[in-house]
Amino acid sequence: MGCFHSTASRQFPGYEDPVFLASQTAFSVSEVEALFELYKSISSSVIDDGLISKEEFQLALFKNKKKENLFANRVFDLFDVKHKGVVDFGDFVRTLNFFHPNASQEDKIDFTFRLYDLDGTGFIERQEVRQMLIAILCESELKLADETIEVILDKTFQEADVNQDGKIDRSEWQQFVSRNPSLLKIMTLPYLRDITTTFPSFVFHSEVDEMAT
Amino acid sequence: VASQNPVTMNAFELISTSQGLNLGTLFEK
């Protein structure tokens, strides 16, 4: 694929060599290049600066930049590995790697723990879960009485919070997810297996030799 | 939220139905 040499991609802030990114992730070099096509389209949707802002991320997720969503914000924060308020290409590929069908279950469990540990204390606390439940109810327009929310929280913490200290630690989370594997469904994106067919135009911008793919 | 009765679900099953956690839409053109 060395026919179309271009240095355009190297001018993207945070651009990293696809061969290097492939060596660190479950993606092949061609898949990293196909992801770059997706990345370019998201990062230029509002401001064409080669970086993904929260607004651009939400626009790609909801097709509507005005939609505020607690969970989308959390996911964006986890993509923003360097805490710069924006996601660069390396962040994008490394974080999507957690969602790869071949990523380890351990990594997926760890990602969900960080996702739900809203304030980053190292525990998923009851008030955080309550906050997330209220957010999901607002999002879905489903109405549940406060007492019903507390019943759901009681039931969840009885099962997950093994030492009953009112918060879920990493080890309790690991055990809870093992007993409820459907909770990891959000962590696998089958799309990532077909990324090169979804974004075939990567072949026109490839900067690596076919041997490397 | 889900086809199941929400009261029978644990909190995280409910939470994981959020659109904000469905990254599949990033890949829809």
Side-chain angles (χ1 to χ4, degrees):
Chain A
M1 294 188 196
C3 302
F4 301 94
H5 279 283
S6 153
T7 54
S9 51
R10 292 190 187 126
Q11 287 163 26
F12 268 73
Y15 180 79
E16 289 183 46
D17 177 14
V19 176
F20 179 63
L21 284 171
S23 73
Q24 293 193 327
T25 62
F27 298 112
S28 68
V29 178
S30 294
E31 286 168 340
V32 173
E33 292 187 319
L35 282 174
F36 189 59
E37 297 301 302
L38 171 63
Y39 177 82
K40 277 193 292 187
S41 119
I42 298 174
S43 67
S44 61
S45 61
V46 178
I47 301 170
D48 193 1
D49 60 356
L51 294 164
I52 298 177
S53 65
K54 193 170 276 188
E55 189 184 6
E56 287 169 327
F57 186 75
Q58 288 179 345
L59 179 61
L61 211 51
F62 300 119
K63 318 299 174 203
N64 171 4
K65 59 185 163 187
K66 292 200 167 68
K67 192 155 183 171
E68 262 296 312
N69 183 287
L70 169 76
F71 304 103
N73 283 344
R74 275 306 291 155
V75 174
F76 179 85
D77 290 344
L78 292 179
F79 268 82
D80 177 14
V81 179
K82 302 175 196 86
H83 308 293
K84 292 188 299 187
V86 285
V87 172
D88 65 30
F89 182 55
D91 297 337
F92 187 68
V93 174
R94 288 191 184 88
T95 310
L96 278 178
N97 189 47
F98 286 100
F99 295 84
H100 195 286
N102 294 346
S104 76
Q105 172 144 313
E106 212 169 74
D107 283 350
K108 289 174 190 283
I109 292 174
D110 180 65
F111 190 93
T112 53
F113 185 83
R114 290 187 287 130
L115 180 67
Y116 297 142
D117 176 14
L118 298 181
D119 57 9
T121 54
F123 299 98
I124 302 173
E125 285 145 307
R126 187 176 169 114
Q127 59 84 14
E128 289 171 318
V129 185
R130 185 185 291 111
Q131 187 184 342
M132 292 188 277
L133 273 181
I134 291 167
I136 189 72
L137 294 177
C138 291
E139 187 185 318
S140 65
E141 293 174 1
L142 177 78
K143 306 261 185 294
L144 288 181
D146 289 350
E147 303 83 69
T148 310
I149 293 176
E150 295 307 316
V151 168
I152 294 171
L153 284 169
D154 284 344
K155 199 178 115 211
T156 304
F157 275 77
Q158 268 163 24
E159 200 192 332
D161 178 19
V162 178
N163 66 6
Q164 294 294 298
D165 64 352
K167 53 195 184 183
I168 302 166
D169 62 32
R170 269 175 199 272
S171 150
E172 289 170 334
W173 179 248
Q174 227 159 16
Q175 296 167 44
F176 183 66
V177 173
S178 304
R179 293 193 299 273
N180 297 275
S182 66
L183 296 181
L184 283 191
K185 216 171 149 195
I186 56 163
M187 285 307 302
T188 294
L189 295 171
Y191 299 88
L192 292 174
R193 280 206 195 284
D194 305 319
I195 194 81
T196 54
T197 46
T198 311
F199 298 96
S201 57
F202 81 91
V203 295
F204 300 115
H205 309 121
S206 179
E207 294 177 9
V208 295
D209 291 332
E210 203 156 339
M211 288 299 286
T213 63
Chain B
V1 167
S3 50
Q4 217 179 320
N5 178 357
V7 184
T8 66
M9 298 167 79
N10 74 53
F12 296 101
E13 282 172 322
L14 273 168
I15 288 164
S16 63
T17 62
S18 171
Q19 280 179 55
L21 297 177
N22 177 16
L23 296 201
T25 55
L26 290 179
F27 300 86
E28 289 166 8
K29 290 184 180 175

